[in-house]
Amino acid sequence: MALYVHKYGGSSVADAEKIVDVARRLADVHDAGHQVVTVVSAMGDTTDELIELAQTVAREPDPRELDLLLSTGELVSITLLSMALRNLGYDAISLSGAQAGIRTDNTFGKARISAVDPDRVRRELAAGRLVIVAGFQGLTPDEDITTLGRGGSDTTAVALAAALDADRCDIYTDVEGIYTADPRVVAGAQKLTDVGYEEMLELAAAGAKMHPRSIELGAVYNVPIYVASSFSTAPGTLIHATPDEENMEDRIKVTGIAYQTNVAKVTVQGVADQPGVAAALFEPLASAGISVDTIVQNTSADRTTTDISFTVATTDLARALKEIERLQPAVGAATIISDDTLASVSVVGSGMQNTPGYASRMFRILADGGINIDMITTSEIRISCIINQQRAHDAVRLLHEGFQLDLAS
Amino acid sequence: MALYVHKYGGSSVADAEKIVDVARRLADVHDAGHQVVTVVSAMGDTTDELIELAQTVAREPDPRELDLLLSTGELVSITLLSMALRNLGYDAISLSGAQAGIRTDNTFGKARISAVDPDRVRRELAAGRLVIVAGFQGLTPDEDITTLGRGGSDTTAVALAAALDADRCDIYTDVEGIYTADPRVVAGAQKLTDVGYEEMLELAAAGAKMHPRSIELGAVYNVPIYVASSFSTAPGTLIHATPDEENMEDRIKVTGIAYQTNVAKVTVQGVADQPGVAAALFEPLASAGISVDTIVQNTSADRTTTDISFTVATTDLARALKEIERLQPAVGAATIISDDTLASVSVVGSGMQNTPGYASRMFRILADGGINIDMITTSEIRISCIINQQRAHDAVRLLHEGFQLDLAS
C-alpha cells in the first residue's frame, strides 16, 4: 500500500462532469489498495471571478478580506469532489487548508507555508477515507485565512506530501508532462520521462508550466513529483533527485529549451560606480513587489560611472520605471532607457556544467538564424539569452533542432 | 457608547449596491460613537444555489460536506461588506463563525450553538474596528464547520449579543417590524411598538417572520431584540421582557393574529387506549426529524381504543405517513386518515390568560364567518384553530377586525 498526494488544477475540476471524472480516477487509486490525499484548486475561473466581485465594492480590496473571500473557491471544489466520491459509494472527507493543518505566515495574498500539522489528515486516512484538501490556502497563528499566491495549490500538495512522507506527489494538469520545448511551438518536442529538481527549476523559471516554489519544496524534502494529464492516462514526467553518478554520463546534456515572451528591459545609464548603488536601485523594487529577473552590470570605460540593465515582466514595467525615476537623483543616473519587446530563450540541462562549448554552440545557432542577442546570463545548468520577442519562437525551434532534442531520448 | 449587534438578511445584501448601502448604515452607527458587531447572511439566493450545485454531483449530498459548502455563502458576504466599509474609510474586519468563536454541536445541517467565545470579537472592537461576522455557521469540537439551519443567522446574532452583553440586537429585514397580522392579508394591520418574548414566540411559531429559536435565546439571556427594515429608517418593533406589572392592565389583551397555511393533519383511528402508545407513535417521528405541531387525543366512546390526531407541515406529510403506516401494527391502529388542505389561525396575547372569554369570542367570530373549526389547541397566551386552508385569509381578517386590532394601539 502506497500513500499518494494528488493535485488537480482549476481546469480539471471546471464543472460537475469533470469533478465526477476526477472522483472516478481517485476511486481507481483507492480500489488498487492505495491511500490518497487530493489537493484541489478552485473550479475554472472562480478565483478571477471572486476578485472581480470584490472590485465591485472596493477599488482596492483589503488583502486580508480578499484572502478570506478567495478561500471560498477551494471550499466549493473540495466539498463537491468529496460529495461526488460519496455518491460513488466511497468514504471521503473534505478539509479546508486550516483543517488540513496548513500553517502560514501572515503575508496575505502570497503567504508562505511555515509548517504542516498532518494529524487530522493522518486520522482520516487511518479511518480508510479518501481525503480532499483545499489548495492555495492556510491559517496564520492568529487564525486568519491566507492564500498562497501563484502556484499555491502545487505548493500545498508538495508540502502535504513532505509532511505525510508520501511515496509521490502527482500534479495532474492540462498538459501531459514536461517537454524538451513548448509543444505548441516545436512540433518535434519530446516528453521527458524524468527530470532533476534543479533542471526543472530552471525550466520552470524560464517558462515551463510549473511554478518554481513547489519544485524547490520538493527538492528540499526529496518528494518525487509526477506531472501528468488529468484528462488522459498517458505517462507523464517524474521530477526527482538527480540520478546516480553511474548513470550521469548516459544522460543527454541538454534537457530542454524554455522561453518567456513577456520580458521588458530597463537600462540605467551613467550610474555612479560606487558601493551601495545596486542595493539602492533594487531594494525599492523588491519592496514594491516587483520581481527582477536578469541583472547585468557593464564595466564602464571611464571607471567613474557604469550602466546597469535588468529585466522585469512587461506587466511590471510601468511600476518599475516609476520607482527608478524616483531614485534617479539619488544614484546619479544620467539616462533611463526601456524596451518591452523582448523575450528570453534558455537552454537547460544538468550535464552542461561539466562540458564546455554549450554556450558558444547556443550563440552560433542563434547567429546562424539571424537572431541578435541583447543580454546573456548563465547559471550552473542554464544559459539564457534576451532576444527580440518576434524571433522567440524561431529561436526555440532552432535551438531544439540544433541541440538534437527532436530525437527521442 | 453603546454596543449593538446588527443582523442583515440575504435580501439586504443581495448585490454590491445593497452591500454598500448596509456599509453606509453601519458607518453612521460608528460615527455616532457606538460599537457595532454585524452578522450577515449569504447574498440573496446563494444558499439555494449552492444546494443545487451540490445536487449536480450527488443525489443526497453528505450533510458534513454540504455544511462546509454552504458556509462559503456567508464568507463571501462578510468579506464584501468589510471591503465596502474599508472603501468608505472605516476600519473593518470580517470573521467566519469559527473565528468569531461560535461553537456548536456536530448536528450538521441544523447544529445548535453550545457556546460563544467572544475573545476575538472583543479584541477587534477594542481596536476600534467594525466587526462583521458570518451568520448561520459555527465550529464543532472536532473543528468541523456546521450550519445552524433555519433562522440560523438570527440565532448567531442573538447568541453573540448575549455573549458580548450587548445593549441591543437589531434584526434588519425586508419588513418594518412585527404586526398585529400579516399586512399582505389585513389592510388595517398595525405595527407593534413592542412585544414580549413569549407573545413573540407564539406569533413566530404561528407564522410571523422570525424563527422561534433566536427569540427563545433572547428570552433566556434577556437580550432586547429590535426588528426593523434594512431599506428604511421607519421605527421597528422591540422584543423584550414583559413590561412592568403597573402597565399590564393598560395593554391590549390581544397582540396579534398569526396564521400558517402549510398544515396537514394525520388522524390515527382505533389506537389501543393504553400507556406508551403516544410515545410509540411520536418518538419515531422525532427521530425522523419530522416536527409535529398540534396533537389532539380524543377520549373514545368504548374506552378501549382512542383516536389521535396531529398536524405536520404539508412538506413532511408523505414521510410522516410512511412512519405511521410502519407503526400501524404495533399500536393496533385500525385506520389512518390524512388531510393536507388545512391552515392554522391563532389569536396571541399575553393578557389573555387573566381574562376569560377570548376563546369563545374567537369561535363566535369564525362561526359568524361560516368557517368550520377542525381542531383547537390553546397555550397560556395563544388560542389556535385548524381550519380549511381556503378560508385562512378570511379568518385572519375577521379575527383582526373582531378583536379591534385595526384601531391604533
Side-chain angles (χ1 to χ4, degrees), chain A residues 36-86:
Chain A
V36 59
V37 176
T38 307
V39 174
V40 190
S41 302
M43 294 168 71
D45 300 323
T46 303
T47 302
D48 290 338
E49 288 163 14
L50 289 171
I51 291 172
E52 278 172 34
L53 181 61
Q55 284 165 343
T56 61
V57 297
R59 282 181 304 278
E60 293 186 17
D62 178 72
R64 178 197 176 276
E65 301 300 324
L66 189 60
D67 273 9
L68 184 52
L69 177 64
L70 295 185
S71 74
T72 64
E74 282 76 23
L75 297 184
V76 171
S77 54
I78 59 171
T79 50
L80 293 180
L81 180 54
S82 175
M83 288 174 191
L85 273 162
R86 285 175 165 267

Side-chain angles (χ1 to χ4, degrees), chain B residues 64-322:
Chain B
R64 179 198 175 275
E65 300 300 325
L66 190 60
D67 273 10
L68 184 52
L69 177 65
L70 295 185
S71 75
T72 64
E74 283 75 24
L75 297 184
V76 171
S77 54
I78 59 170
T79 51
L80 293 180
L81 180 54
S82 176
M83 288 173 191
L85 273 162
R86 285 175 165 266
N87 196 51
L88 295 174
Y90 291 82
D91 193 5
I93 188 161
S94 69
L95 299 175
S96 67
Q99 290 171 333
I102 311 293
R103 309 289 171 237
T104 75
D105 62 20
N106 61 3
T107 318
F108 296 106
K110 48 183 177 179
R112 292 184 69 85
I113 295 176
S114 51
V116 176
D117 171 3
D119 285 358
R120 174 82 188 258
V121 174
R122 283 226 177 87
R123 212 158 59 235
E124 302 295 350
L125 286 173
R129 289 182 168 146
L130 290 119
V131 180
I132 318 293
V133 174
F136 186 65
Q137 61 181 245
L139 192 73
T140 72
D142 296 331
E143 301 197 332
D144 281 322
I145 308 292
T146 50
T147 67
L148 308 181
R150 292 197 59 154
S153 290
D154 291 350
T155 307
T156 301
V158 175
L160 264 174
L164 292 165
D165 198 19
D167 293 280
R168 207 175 63 204
C169 181
D170 291 7
I171 307 287
Y172 291 103
T173 177
D174 50 5
V175 296
E176 287 191 0
I178 308 300
Y179 286 77
T180 52
D182 186 338
R184 290 168 303 184
V185 173
V186 179
Q190 303 291 316
K191 187 160 56 181
L192 296 164
T193 307
D194 67 340
V195 62
Y197 292 115
E198 290 180 359
E199 290 166 287
M200 186 60 214
L201 267 176
E202 294 287 9
L203 283 169
K209 268 274 180 173
M210 283 189 72
H211 197 273
R213 58 193 292 202
S214 54
I215 303 161
E216 284 165 9
L217 203 59
V220 169
Y221 291 95
N222 200 20
V223 178
I225 301 171
Y226 181 72
V227 180
S229 168
S230 62
F231 302 118
S232 80
T233 54
T237 302
L238 185 67
I239 309 169
H240 59 161
T242 312
D244 303 336
E245 284 294 325
E246 54 181 327
N247 297 325
M248 193 78 184
E249 297 297 310
D250 300 335
R251 291 176 61 81
I252 294 174
K253 299 299 187 292
V254 173
T255 308
I257 312 297
Y259 76 104
Q260 275 184 307
T261 52
N262 61 335
V263 176
K265 184 181 72 167
V266 178
T267 302
V268 190
Q269 293 180 319
V271 171
D273 192 3
Q274 62 194 39
V277 165
L281 276 178
F282 293 108
E283 278 171 1
L285 291 176
S287 300
I290 298 166
S291 184
V292 173
D293 196 9
T294 307
I295 300 174
V296 175
Q297 180 173 339
N298 299 335
T299 310
S300 58
D302 60 5
R303 302 213 164 201
T304 60
T305 65
T306 185
D307 298 348
I308 297 180
S309 293
F310 60 89
T311 61
V312 295
T314 47
T315 46
D316 282 340
L317 178 60
R319 284 168 59 229
L321 284 175
K322 209 169 125 193

